[in-house]
Amino acid sequence: MFKTSYFADQRLEIVILGPMRGEENDSSIQIRNALKEILQDENCRGYLEKYGVTEANVSITFPEEWKGSSIERDVFSKLDTADLVVFNITPRAGETNPSPNVFYELGLVHSLGLPYLVLVQDEIEIPFYLRGIRCYTVKAFEKEELIETLHPPIENFLSDNSPFSFTENIITRFYEGLPVVDISAAVGLATGYYMNFVRRILKDGGFISHYPDKIKRLIVVRPISVFNTYEEDVSAMKDKLIAAGYELILEKLAPILSDKDGGIWFEHINGTVIDIPRTIYPLKRSPRLLSLRKRMDQAYHQQDSQLRVSLLNEAAEKLVDKIESIIKYHIRNDSERVRESLLEFWSVDQLVDRIKQV
């Protein structure tokens, strides 16, 4: 399974959003102080060390500290690279309703499929759109209570084997696991790959049914980087396989009556089909990555080039993360049975170990 890529840039960026109360925003300050202490916990620190995230590369900020000329631009720019967004939807003193600006920002986070948590003070009615979805109540925004409330979800967020999804929201539930931003864009590329290769290989009555001696399973291999070329990543994958004593065999299967697109080329090792999706590499031209690159070209100086590259790579990795969920979405909703149990997803570095187990 493709792992989550929140820490691919070896940084942890947490953004706190809530009603703005000037520079002395005590609730946001208390949330940050609690988060800092939680991250010093032995388990949490161990996860961060595993990902190569040092204390110097942990950032916890909120809008009152940002000095840009446009609040909305500051917020959108921070969300573009945030690993986790913590919302405080408690109304300002003397008011009964949460800030509409905060809800606008929460809707944006839900649409983008970003990880998030929601905090609200006791006795405040939780809007029905948020009930039961990552919403935590506190009696007061005091450090010790916030630590007790936030410690379990933060540790789960950092864990590499947590069963919880921090991107799930009412929108992703409606679209069966996909945020709005993924209903188009990268989804189109993954959909084409599913229809033109995965489905043809694994569909009942497809090539696996006609050639069971040739096709036993399909491993989809994650691109090393969409900023590479397809040929570069395939070459690197083959080098690793050869070094381990394996060689990919290229074959073409003859057309079958149930497939109108003719024969199919594939590479395999003893019936295990191995494929890096060529169609995913145009992600480097996706509007989300291009706009992020443009903003970074304007914002980062030469000495920040390494940070710029790492942030771009992480943004690309997050798009690649969607491949598995989109393909599985299509399998669940296909009118014909596709053998999902014979489909696996691994990285180039994981591939050799998996082949040894087959």
Side-chain angles (χ1 to χ4, degrees):
M1 180 179 290
F2 289 175
K3 75 175 185 67
T4 310
S5 300
Y6 302 135
F7 313 107
D9 58 351
Q10 297 184 320
R11 297 171 61 85
L12 174 60
E13 297 187 40
I14 300 177
V15 173
I16 302 169
L17 294 176
M20 296 188 68
R21 297 182 172 94
E23 292 188 6
E24 298 302 320
N25 191 335
D26 186 61
S27 60
S28 292
I29 292 172
Q30 292 294 343
I31 293 170
R32 175 165 61 189
N33 290 341
L35 290 171
K36 284 184 175 180
E37 189 153 326
I38 291 168
L39 294 176
Q40 291 301 313
D41 169 80
E42 182 179 356
N43 288 341
C44 294
R45 193 168 65 248
Y47 289 128
L48 293 176
E49 290 174 354
K50 177 179 179 180
Y51 301 128
V53 180
T54 64
E55 187 174 350
N57 283 334
V58 174
S59 169
I60 307 173
T61 62
F62 47 89
E64 285 85 349
E65 300 178 321
W66 306 336
K67 304 300 182 182
S69 59
S70 167
I71 293 175
E72 64 271 19
R73 187 172 182 83
D74 286 343
V75 170
F76 297 160
S77 295
K78 290 291 184 181
L79 293 181
D80 224 7
T81 58
D83 299 302
L84 178 68
V85 186
V86 178
F87 285 93
N88 173 13
I89 63 168
T90 305
R92 293 185 181 91
E95 299 181 4
T96 57
N97 295 317
S99 165
N101 290 330
V102 175
F103 261 79
Y104 186 94
E105 293 158 354
L106 180 59
L108 176 62
V109 165
H110 283 183
S111 296
L112 292 174
L114 299 177
Y116 73 98
L117 298 172
V118 175
L119 288 168
V120 63
Q121 198 161 347
D122 271 354
E123 300 179 359
I124 301 298
E125 184 178 1
I126 299 174
F128 69 89
Y129 275 119
L130 299 181
R131 292 172 190 168
I133 303 181
R134 305 245 152 261
C135 199
Y136 301 85
T137 59
V138 292
K139 293 180 180 179
F141 283 88
E142 297 175 353
K143 179 181 170 184
E144 293 307 317
E145 184 173 356
L146 287 166
I147 290 174
E148 183 178 354
T149 301
L150 288 174
H151 190 283
I154 292 297
E155 184 170 340
N156 275 316
F157 173 74
L158 297 175
S159 170
D160 53 4
N161 60 0
S162 171
F164 302 106
S165 168
F166 286 81
T167 60
E168 181 187 14
N169 58 69
I170 197 166
I171 298 173
T172 62
R173 285 181 177 179
F174 182 80
Y175 289 111
E176 300 185 51
L178 300 180
V180 168
V181 72
D182 288 338
I183 297 172
S184 56
V187 177
L189 299 177
T191 299
Y193 177 70
Y194 172 76
M195 294 299 296
N196 294 321
F197 191 75
V198 175
R199 187 177 191 272
R200 296 179 69 200
I201 290 284
L202 296 181
K203 182 184 69 172
D204 270 1
F207 283 94
I208 195 169
S209 299
H210 287 75
Y211 298 97
D213 57 326
K214 294 285 188 180
I215 302 175
K216 296 181 173 60
R217 74 185 72 245
L218 167 60
I219 293 179
V220 177
V221 180
R222 182 190 187 100
I224 297 172
S225 171
V226 296
F227 294 114
N228 294 344
T229 65
Y230 167 77
E231 289 76 15
E232 287 173 337
D233 283 359
V234 168
S235 177
M237 177 183 71
K238 289 183 176 180
D239 286 345
K240 284 183 176 290
L241 290 170
I242 291 171
Y246 298 104
E247 183 177 359
L248 282 172
I249 305 299
L250 176 65
E251 288 196 43
K252 183 179 181 180
L253 298 179
I256 56 178
L257 290 177
S258 60
D259 191 307
K260 61 181 178 56
D261 293 322
I264 192 168
W265 287 95
F266 70 103
E267 290 184 295
H268 71 98
I269 296 174
N270 298 325
T272 295
V273 179
I274 297 173
D275 190 68
I276 297 181
R278 181 191 292 266
T279 57
I280 300 303
Y281 288 83
L283 277 176
K284 64 170 67 76
R285 300 295 302 172
S286 69
R288 190 170 181 189
L289 287 183
L290 289 177
S291 63
L292 178 60
R293 174 179 283 179
K294 182 178 179 180
R295 288 192 300 276
M296 288 185 172
D297 285 343
Q298 296 169 348
Y300 289 93
H301 301 294
Q302 186 64 37
Q303 62 266 31
D304 298 319
S305 60
Q306 186 174 354
L307 174 59
R308 172 185 175 278
V309 169
S310 67
L311 290 173
L312 279 172
N313 283 335
E314 183 184 39
E317 288 294 293
K318 289 177 179 177
L319 292 180
V320 176
D321 281 343
K322 310 299 181 183
I323 297 171
E324 180 177 353
S325 60
I326 293 166
I327 290 175
K328 288 184 175 180
Y329 170 87
H330 284 300
I331 290 175
R332 290 195 306 269
N333 291 277
D334 204 305
S335 60
E336 300 183 66
R337 179 175 176 265
V338 178
R339 302 183 191 181
E340 184 176 3
S341 63
L342 301 181
L343 175 63
E344 301 179 15
F345 298 84
W346 301 99
S347 68
V348 169
D349 288 335
Q350 297 168 324
L351 183 59
V352 169
D353 286 340
R354 179 61 186 125
I355 294 298
K356 289 177 180 178
Q357 297 168 8
V358 174

